[in-house]
Amino acid sequence: MWTGLIAHPACFGHAPPPGHPESADRLRAVIRAFEHRDFQDLVRLEAPLACERDLLRAHSALHVANVTGRFADAAREDGYVHIDADTVMTPGSVEAALRAAGAVIAAVDEVHAGRLRNAFCAVRPPGHHAERARAMGFCLFNNIAIGALHARQSHGYRRVAIVDFDVHHGNGTQEIFFADSDAFYASSHQWPFYPGTGCTTDRGIARNVLNVPLAAGAGSREFRAAYETAILPALARFGPHFVFISAGFDAHRNDPLAELRLGEGDFAWATAAICEVARTCCGGRVVSVLEGGYDLDALARSASAHVRALMEA
Ligand SMILES: [Zn+2]
């Protein structure tokens, strides 16, 4: 059984202004890393476009209409539109965002059909800060939430779990699933930090949210302890039918945006551990989606280590 790599060249076309950390060079570094012969067995697929029905599972009609209509039109006319201080749309952004969400949907379909054991979606813009009715923090649509709701509503995987090791808390994913007792969201993240959410008392309607904040300067030991003592046991207790990973690599010690001190080996370790829980709960069905990661070398090495762990799972 194979590991898939789902991507699309349109994801390079979302072009925030020069100096913005969420640049197309990030994705170029990741895609280049997968040219290494270690990855010749990956099944490479082009991401389809998500359709409106897919987006509406996670987002309000107004948000979908704004991103695909009003903001997209303004970006085409003026070259760019600022949605908030960090979040920009340019003429290529809508297709990039629809391919990013579509990648997760295609990955779910392939894993469901048994053609892939697991998959990594190498896409941008990222998604985990996008709330039901709001783009923010570089994110337009919540790619992983759209994929998880597709798994449930198109294929009947009722209990969906999302584990998020991006250095930032996934406020959008938490918000979308907060009142959904058949969804489990677990996050390790630097705290206090952007976006301000993710304290331990955020637990969801049915203790279906688990936040493990880590202090600035925390490294491998604290990160692994968070997974061994809290996140992995809770994930196993939840008993997911399908597991998703919000794979941001900005908790790397070289990352310029944050102050955790992980190495690529920590991402590989967490990936293997999450896959092991998925193996016992749900036949190893795992779909992982790129979120952050802003040092290009660290990002490329970390994404490689992560996908190697998926291939070995
Ligand atoms: Zn991040």
Side-chain angles (χ1 to χ4, degrees), residues 93-113:
S93 298
V94 170
E95 185 177 353
L98 294 176
R99 298 283 179 191
V104 192
I105 288 166
V108 166
D109 289 344
E110 293 299 304
V111 171
H112 167 70

Side-chain angles (χ1 to χ4, degrees), residues 128-129 166-168 250 292 294:
H128 73 155
H129 295 306
D166 188 279
V167 79
H168 303 97
D250 41 9
Y294 303 96

Side-chain angles (χ1 to χ4, degrees), residues 164-167 169 174 184-191 197-203 209-215 218 222-232 234 260:
D164 184 337
F165 55 65
D166 188 279
V167 79
H169 181 243
Q174 172 172 295
F184 175 71
Y185 175 68
S187 174
S188 56
H189 47 270
Q190 183 175 329
W191 199 85
T197 51
C199 61
T200 51
T201 50
D202 294 352
R203 290 306 316 266
V209 168
L210 176 62
N211 289 305
V212 185
L214 299 170
E222 294 88 346
F223 175 79
R224 294 189 189 208
Y227 280 79
E228 281 176 338
T229 64
I231 292 176
L232 296 167
L260 293 191

